[in-house]
């Protein structure tokens, strides 16, 4: 039973990541930012609950950090720079 919870956690994380990526591809900036925050919350929750391994967490966290840098300033606000 615990194995199925782990599999479900990985599936939820993968689905959350895909939804966020899709929002980026379709230029839905607010949804992409929200999806990134949701993914990070899920990742932390599953790791603290022991549903994903340290290795899996580290890999996904690195991918998350890279995406955060990529999406920095990715919003509807104009950045004029005056």
């Amino acid at each position: 039973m615990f194995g199925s919870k782990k599999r479900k956690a990985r599936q939820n994380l993968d689905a959350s990541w895909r939804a966020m990526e899709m929002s980026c591809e379709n230029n839905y900036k607010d949804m992409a930012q929200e999806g990134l925050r949701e993914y990070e919350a899920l990742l932390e929750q599953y790791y603290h609950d022991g549903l994903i391994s340290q290795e899996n967490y580290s890999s996904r966290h690195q991918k998350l950090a890279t995406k955060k840098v990529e999406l920095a300033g990715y919003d509807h606000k104009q950045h004029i720079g005056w």
Side-chain angles (χ1 to χ4, degrees):
M1 181 191 293
F2 195 63
S4 66
K5 286 184 180 182
K6 287 183 176 186
R7 184 174 57 247
K8 184 69 172 171
R10 287 191 307 270
Q11 289 172 345
N12 286 343
L13 283 168
D14 290 342
S16 177
W17 184 265
R18 282 192 306 273
M20 184 271 304
E21 284 285 317
M22 195 176 302
S23 294
C24 290
E25 290 169 4
N26 291 320
N27 205 26
Y28 298 144
K29 296 175 180 181
D30 294 336
M31 288 177 66
Q33 292 288 352
E34 181 63 27
L36 193 65
R37 286 189 292 275
E38 288 175 7
Y39 179 82
E40 184 173 23
L42 272 178
L43 182 63
E44 296 298 326
Q45 176 189 349
Y46 290 153
Y47 178 66
H48 290 294
D49 291 347
L51 295 176
I52 60 173
S53 66
Q54 172 68 39
E55 181 181 329
N56 195 323
Y57 173 80
S58 295
S59 172
R60 289 176 185 268
H61 196 270
Q62 181 62 38
K63 189 165 78 167
L64 173 66
T66 302
K67 187 54 101 172
K68 278 183 165 182
V69 170
E70 182 182 319
L71 294 184
Y74 186 71
D75 56 25
H76 290 291
K77 299 173 188 156
Q78 292 183 351
H79 301 279
I80 298 172
W82 295 352

